[in-house]
Amino acid sequence: MTNEQTLNQEYIVAKKKSAKPMLWVSMISMVMFFAGLTSAYVISMKREDWVAFDLPEAFYISTILIIASSITLMLSQRFLKQDKRQLSLIMVVVTLLLGIGFVWQQYVGFNQLKSIGLFFTGPESTVSTSFIIGISFMHVLHIIAGLVVLFVVIYNHFKYKYKSDDMLGFELGAIFWHFVDLLWIYLFLFFSFIK
């Protein structure tokens, strides 16, 4: 084996070792970002013009969809470990569709809030609706990043880049998707019980 091949292999091993810690660091920064937003929400609740309201029905549907998407992605990962590539691919495509459904239901939820006179901006907006829509929208942006990740995972699946003993890319994508899933569950419970 030449020195160049040895260096190349060492580089690949080092890259694999650093990938997960880097992802965890980025997720911690996202957690801190949303913790800051929800803390500002709690502080703002002391304002006299604070308006409490129930979450729109579409947010409940979107929560079910995002939980289902994590389940299908876990199944996909399990099938991949068992070398059942076709089933794994089907499950990750279903995950993608459920993720798109989540984004759609968030959009429906924003419109449901508008239909009852709760606006994000403008003279008719309230502090509470601005916070909920703003924080939810920031989360949707992270979900869209997760959808891009799922597209990459599906593409790599078609290219046979994942194997039962070499699925780091898949695992990284799955970790990120489960993270944005848990993040929404936290936000949903937060908005449901703290208002």
Side-chain angles (χ1 to χ4, degrees):
M1 185 178 292
T2 65
N3 284 340
E4 189 178 341
Q5 286 174 323
T6 305
L7 281 173
N8 193 39
Q9 280 192 347
E10 286 178 358
Y11 171 73
I12 292 170
V13 170
K15 193 176 174 184
K16 285 183 176 180
K17 280 184 179 176
S18 63
K20 281 186 181 176
M22 286 176 66
L23 179 60
W24 285 111
V25 169
S26 67
M27 289 192 302
I28 289 169
S29 67
M30 288 180 236
V31 167
M32 291 172 69
F33 174 71
F34 280 95
L37 288 176
T38 49
S39 298
Y41 177 93
V42 171
I43 292 168
S44 297
M45 288 175 69
K46 295 174 184 172
R47 290 171 55 120
E48 289 183 3
D49 57 347
W50 185 263
V51 177
F53 57 90
D54 293 326
L55 292 177
E57 184 182 326
F59 279 18
Y60 289 85
I61 298 171
S62 66
T63 304
I64 294 169
L65 293 177
I66 198 81
I67 292 171
S69 74
S70 263
I71 294 169
T72 54
L73 192 56
M74 280 191 286
L75 288 172
S76 176
Q77 193 167 353
R78 179 175 294 182
F79 287 136
L80 186 58
K81 283 180 182 173
Q82 297 170 351
D83 282 325
K84 296 176 180 174
R85 295 185 50 79
Q86 205 61 31
L87 283 173
S88 175
L89 183 57
I90 290 170
M91 284 296 111
V92 78
V93 170
V94 172
T95 303
L96 177 69
L97 295 175
L98 289 168
I100 293 170
F102 172 86
V103 174
W104 173 251
Q105 286 300 320
Q106 293 282 291
Y107 173 73
V108 172
F110 296 154
N111 282 329
Q112 286 176 343
L113 288 174
K114 279 171 60 178
S115 69
I116 56 173
L118 298 170
F119 295 91
F120 177 52
T121 58
E124 297 176 47
S125 66
T126 66
V127 179
S128 52
T129 51
S130 296
F131 261 111
I132 287 181
I133 294 174
I135 294 172
S136 301
F137 180 73
M138 291 305 297
H139 178 262
V140 166
L141 292 181
H142 286 76
I143 285 285
I144 291 171
L147 292 176
V148 172
V149 169
L150 289 178
F151 270 117
V152 172
V153 168
I154 291 169
Y155 175 78
N156 287 338
H157 234 314
F158 274 116
K159 291 287 183 182
Y160 291 87
K161 289 189 175 178
Y162 304 129
K163 299 172 187 170
S164 58
D165 59 346
D166 182 14
M167 45 192 292
L168 178 65
F170 188 102
E171 288 173 345
L172 293 174
I175 289 170
F176 183 73
W177 188 258
H178 294 315
F179 168 73
V180 291
D181 176 0
L182 289 173
L183 192 56
W184 172 251
I185 292 171
Y186 159 70
L187 292 174
F188 179 77
L189 293 175
F190 178 86
F191 291 138
S192 296
F193 293 107
I194 301 176
K195 54 187 177 182

